[in-house]
Amino acid sequence: MTKPELLEFAATARALAAGAEAEIEATTLQQRVLNYYTIHGTSNVGCDVNDVAAGLCIDLAKVRSAVDFLEGEGELYSTIDEDHHKSTE
């Protein structure tokens, strides 16, 4: 496991140990991705998913999965193409 993966695992374990519901609405990874879009995606174009992966040092496939989830939840929307998204916040 990479260090970011270990940190995400530890955060999830702490949340479960603290009595959080077994089904966590947004994983740490999803929250990090959403935060990145909220902070860096302020232009009309938003952020490119490749830039998000590079900026967070996370595997592109994992970022795409988080983006798909967040888009389905209405937290992100696509802008100029399928690789660019913006936060709804």
Side-chain angles (χ1 to χ4, degrees):
M1 287 183 123
T2 65
K3 185 174 180 177
E5 290 172 329
L6 286 172
L7 292 173
E8 290 167 24
F9 179 78
T12 302
R14 282 192 303 274
L16 290 173
E21 293 181 18
E23 195 171 309
I24 298 174
E25 287 185 30
T27 66
T28 303
L29 170 62
Q30 292 161 350
Q31 189 60 53
R32 288 179 64 204
V33 169
L34 180 59
N35 289 343
Y36 190 95
Y37 277 101
T38 302
I39 294 167
H40 299 283
T42 57
S43 73
N44 290 337
V45 173
C47 291
D48 183 296
V49 70
N50 294 297
D51 294 337
V52 176
L56 294 175
C57 300
I58 299 174
D59 179 68
L60 179 59
K62 291 180 181 179
V63 172
R64 284 189 188 278
S65 177
V67 166
D68 289 344
F69 174 82
L70 292 166
E71 196 171 17
E73 293 293 310
E75 298 288 339
L76 295 178
Y77 63 95
S78 62
T79 58
I80 61 172
D81 61 28
E82 64 185 28
D83 287 337
H84 288 82
H85 296 83
K86 191 169 179 164
S87 171
T88 58
E89 294 182 9

